[in-house]
């Protein structure tokens, strides 16, 4: 039987699902299988009835929601009028990517798998549930699953023996070619390019609004360990609209020093210009890159050289390496057996792509320019909770690992370096709905738990609710020290004085025993139970994803047992019901 075309469809929010999908595409091509890789919403879903072999790779976001680039597909596939035999010709597999610290772990993958079966599809094998919380990341589940997948696919659709597989050390053709121009044409800047085109609808990733920065002010005390900034932007004439709980997305750029260092290591002339040409018909060029483009613009605005590389980076780098020792090490890092060593070398110390290339200089100097876009992912926008108007609270990420240079967050450090006092500053941004939605029914109380910068979305929510005449606003705020990082203290006190807010604080370092928001929730158990069980309150949680969400959930189940008289299983069921009905919502970040 001739091999059918394999279709890989992905729904990706942060790029991991796209990276895994592109890995699937490469592995298929090495096995001589025709393969297309597409985002779910860029695929014409009505053609799904004609597909015979499809792999779905999907992330789960927020409260068990599908990623932005699969929402149209999601609405279509769950239409009630689709016949139960719609996909009876399809063999499929589902690979999910999630985070087990969330209640609805891999909810999208699980629900999609069930729906495809309902529509008559045949599952090649059980779904894969990748977990960000695993020490080795999603690959811990993905690697063995892919091994089984290829066994099933090639069993059903064997490749002719005379073809054989393309060995792992041989590079596949690049997606694009860079055609360097002998004479430097006039290349428009990002600002000129955006200003010169008439906006089509509200600002978006393809066409962000260049918002003037009005203020950039440190709000933590001078002796506090963390630099947290309150930034305000002028969005007059932008067409942006948003509600409490929505997020602003900002497109950052690499520093000039990193851009220069990258060009030196790879032997590139930053001032040289090129046009980008796809190797295969129907493949679009990245919308964010102007044509023609300078190498400097490509590196500073597009290539994410400050990110921690994924395993696929080492696989391709090994293929391109002419240096025996470096190639041997890169092959080890990209093998299943080398994953723990790769984690120690790369993930644990947060080593960046630029630093890895500096560690492998012979390989870096030999990278063909055509492979730059295959090797290095694009800079992805960063999301920040909107505190009100267009005000965002940004914790500047900087920490030390065993590497000499401190680790710095690309976007937060870039934003912190901007000074509107020294001249006009513009930041590319747009808005999308966040994971938190607040009740519209008058009189419904809300309990908000927002330690640290997690309090930002709740400032917008409280302001909106107070303006609507809504009382019953209960806020649990936690930080280290009252005089160092108590964000918006005066505003909370004023609202409390007016009877618009009930505030409970946890200053963890102001007494011998550390006190966190989860301790205050337990202490105030009678009030929490009264609000949730008797008054139908909604519960919201925002902040760091590491331990806090699990600690807060544990505190709540204790309250349900102590105040509601529930058994441990019944308390867990009660919490799950709150989550299922969206009366418990969380927005957390790493």
């Amino acid at each position: 039987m001739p091999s059918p075309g394999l279709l890989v469809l992905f729904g990706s929010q942060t790029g991991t699902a796209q990276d895994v999908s592109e890995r699937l595409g490469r592995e298929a091509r090495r096995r001589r299988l025709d393969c297309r890789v597409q985002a779910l919403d860029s695929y014409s879903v009505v053609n799904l009835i004609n597909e015979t072999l499809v792999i779905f790779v999907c992330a789960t976001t927020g409260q068990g929601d599908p990623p932005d680039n699969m929402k149209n597909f999601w609405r279509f596939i769950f239409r009630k009028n689709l016949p139960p035999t719609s996909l009876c010709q399809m063999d499929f597999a589902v690979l999910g990517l999630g985070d087990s610290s969330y209640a609805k772990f891999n909810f999208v993958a699980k629900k999609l798998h069930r729906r495809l079966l309902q529509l008559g599809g045949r599952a090649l094998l059980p779904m894969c549930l990748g977990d960000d919380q695993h020490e080795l990341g999603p690959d811990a589940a993905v690697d063995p699953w892919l091994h089984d997948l290829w066994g099933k696919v090639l069993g059903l659709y064997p490749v002719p023996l005379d073809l054989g597989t393309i060995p792992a050390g041989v590079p596949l053709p690049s997606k694009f070619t860079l055609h360097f121009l002998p004479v430097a044409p006039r290349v428009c800047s990002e600002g000129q390019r955006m200003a010169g085109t008439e906006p089509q609808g509200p600002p978006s990733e393809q066409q962000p609004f260049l918002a003037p920065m009005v203020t950039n002010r440190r709000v933590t005390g001078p002796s506090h360990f963390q630099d947290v900034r309150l930034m305000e932007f002028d969005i007059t004439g932008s067409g942006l609209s948003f509600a409490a709980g929505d997020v602003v997305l900002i497109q950052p750029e690499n520093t000039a020093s990193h851009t220069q260092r990258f060009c030196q290591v790879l032997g590139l002339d930053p001032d040289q210009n090129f046009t980008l040409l796809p190797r295969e018909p129907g493949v679009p060029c990245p919308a964010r890159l102007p044509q023609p483009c300078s190498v400097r613009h490509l590196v500073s605005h597009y290539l994410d050289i400050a990110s921690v590389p994924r395993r696929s980076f080492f696989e391709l780098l090994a293929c391109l390496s002419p240096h025996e020792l470096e190639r041997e090490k890169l092959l080890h890092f990209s093998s299943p057996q080398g994953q723990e060593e790769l984690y120690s070398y790369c993930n644990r110390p947060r080593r960046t792509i630029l630093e890895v290339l500096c560690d492998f200089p012979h390989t870096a100097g030999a990278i063909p320019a055509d492979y730059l876009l295959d090797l290095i992912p694009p800079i992805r926008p960063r999301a920040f909770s909107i505190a009100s108007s267009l005000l965002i609270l940004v914790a500047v990420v900087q920490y030390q690992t065993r590497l000499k240079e401190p680790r710095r967050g690309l976007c937060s450090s870039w934003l912190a370096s901007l000074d509107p006092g020294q001249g006009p500053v513009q930041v590319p941004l747009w808005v999308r709905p966040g994971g938190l939605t607040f009740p519209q029914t008058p009189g419904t109380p809300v309990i908000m738990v927002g330690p640290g910068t997690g309090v930002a979305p709740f400032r917008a929510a409280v302001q909106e609710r107070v303006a609507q005449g809504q009382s019953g606003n209960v806020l649990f705020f936690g930080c280290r020290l009252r005089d160092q990082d108590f964000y918006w203290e005066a505003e909370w006190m004023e609202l409390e004085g007016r009877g618009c807010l009930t505030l409970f604080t946890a200053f963890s370092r102001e007494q011998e025993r550390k006190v966190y928001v989860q301790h205050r929730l337990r202490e105030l158990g009678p009030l929490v139970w009264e609000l949730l069980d008797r008054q139908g309150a909604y519960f919201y949680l925002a902040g760091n994803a590491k331990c806090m969400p699990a600690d807060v959930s544990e505190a709540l189940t204790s309250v349900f047992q102590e105040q509601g008289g529930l058994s441990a299983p019944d308390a867990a069921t009660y919490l799950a019901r709150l989550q299922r009905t969206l009366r418990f919502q969380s927005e957390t970040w790493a």
Side-chain angles (χ1 to χ4, degrees), residues 139-348:
D139 279 352
V142 171
D143 284 353
W145 187 84
L146 284 183
H147 179 269
D148 294 344
L149 173 74
W150 295 125
K152 291 279 188 184
V153 169
L154 294 173
L156 287 170
Y157 307 104
V159 174
L161 293 173
D162 57 326
L163 283 177
T165 58
I166 300 171
V170 177
L172 296 166
S174 63
K175 275 191 216 161
F176 301 98
T177 57
L178 274 67
H179 177 63
F180 286 102
L181 305 174
V183 181
R186 183 177 172 273
V187 180
C188 67
S189 71
E190 187 82 358
Q192 289 170 327
R193 185 165 67 88
M194 289 177 190
T197 53
E198 201 61 38
Q200 304 293 314
S204 63
E205 183 168 2
Q206 274 62 49
Q207 196 159 38
F209 176 67
L210 288 172
M213 179 182 273
V214 180
T215 58
N216 182 353
R217 183 169 58 88
R218 178 173 172 138
V219 290
T220 40
S223 61
H224 190 61
F225 80 104
Q226 191 168 38
D227 177 4
V228 176
R229 301 293 180 115
L230 187 63
M231 299 175 187
E232 185 176 3
F233 300 93
D234 180 0
I235 56 169
T236 306
S238 67
L240 286 168
S241 63
F242 46 85
D246 288 354
V247 295
V248 63
L249 288 108
I250 290 178
Q251 189 65 52
E253 58 189 66
N254 291 309
T255 65
S257 61
H258 282 174
T259 300
Q260 184 181 357
R261 180 76 179 125
F262 179 87
C263 290
Q264 284 173 346
V265 171
L266 271 74
L268 297 169
D269 176 0
D271 297 316
Q272 194 164 13
N273 296 289
F274 64 89
T275 54
L276 202 61
L277 303 169
R279 282 195 190 271
E280 294 179 16
V283 176
C285 290
R288 276 176 30 212
L289 283 181
Q291 292 269 38
C293 181
S294 71
V295 170
R296 187 187 310 279
H297 184 92
L298 171 71
V299 180
S300 62
H301 286 77
Y302 190 79
L303 300 180
D304 199 358
I305 60 175
S307 63
V308 177
R310 302 181 195 270
R311 182 169 151 192
S312 57
F313 171 86
F314 291 92
E315 288 173 3
L316 180 53
L317 202 57
C319 290
L320 302 173
S321 177
H323 189 271
E324 190 178 345
L325 282 175
E326 290 185 2
R327 180 184 171 91
E328 193 178 305
K329 192 67 180 172
L330 291 164
L331 282 169
H332 178 64
F333 280 153
S334 59
S335 70
Q337 299 76 29
Q339 289 315 287
E340 288 196 22
E341 197 174 330
L342 175 60
Y343 185 85
S344 297
Y345 166 72
C346 215
N347 299 70
R348 189 171 285 122

Side-chain angles (χ1 to χ4, degrees), residues 33-220:
L33 294 167
D34 288 333
C35 183
R36 292 163 291 150
V37 178
Q38 280 184 252
L40 275 154
D41 277 357
S42 71
Y43 174 77
S44 182
V45 69
V46 292
N47 293 334
L48 209 55
I49 59 170
N50 303 315
E51 304 289 353
T52 55
L53 188 56
V54 187
I55 313 299
F56 295 88
V57 182
C58 42
T60 295
T61 68
Q63 320 300 317
D65 302 317
D68 291 342
N69 67 354
M70 70 176 283
K71 285 187 173 169
N72 294 333
F73 165 84
W74 197 247
R75 280 191 289 272
F76 180 90
I77 205 74
F78 283 98
R79 277 165 50 171
K80 289 185 169 62
N81 61 351
L82 295 179
T85 56
S86 300
L87 304 179
C88 61
Q89 81 302 328
M90 180 197 288
D91 289 310
F92 75 88
V94 174
L95 191 164
L97 296 165
D99 183 324
S100 57
S101 69
Y102 279 78
K104 293 193 172 181
F105 171 57
N106 266 314
F107 181 77
V108 170
K110 293 170 184 174
K111 192 170 180 181
L112 177 61
H113 191 270
R114 284 197 302 272
R115 183 58 174 158
L116 295 171
L117 290 172
Q118 287 170 359
L119 295 174
R122 293 179 302 277
L124 287 168
L125 67 170
M127 74 189 109
C128 174
L129 301 178
D131 185 6
D132 266 348
Q133 291 295 320
H134 193 284
E135 190 181 58
L136 299 178
D139 279 352
V142 171
D143 284 353
W145 187 84
L146 284 183
H147 179 269
D148 294 344
L149 173 74
W150 295 125
K152 291 279 188 184
V153 169
L154 294 173
L156 287 170
Y157 307 104
V159 174
L161 293 173
D162 57 326
L163 283 177
T165 58
I166 300 171
V170 177
L172 296 166
S174 63
K175 275 191 216 161
F176 301 98
T177 57
L178 274 67
H179 177 63
F180 286 102
L181 305 174
V183 181
R186 183 177 172 273
V187 180
C188 67
S189 71
E190 187 82 358
Q192 289 170 327
R193 185 165 67 88
M194 289 177 190
T197 53
E198 201 61 38
Q200 304 293 314
S204 63
E205 183 168 2
Q206 274 62 49
Q207 196 159 38
F209 176 67
L210 288 172
M213 179 182 273
V214 180
T215 58
N216 182 353
R217 183 169 58 88
R218 178 173 172 138
V219 290
T220 40

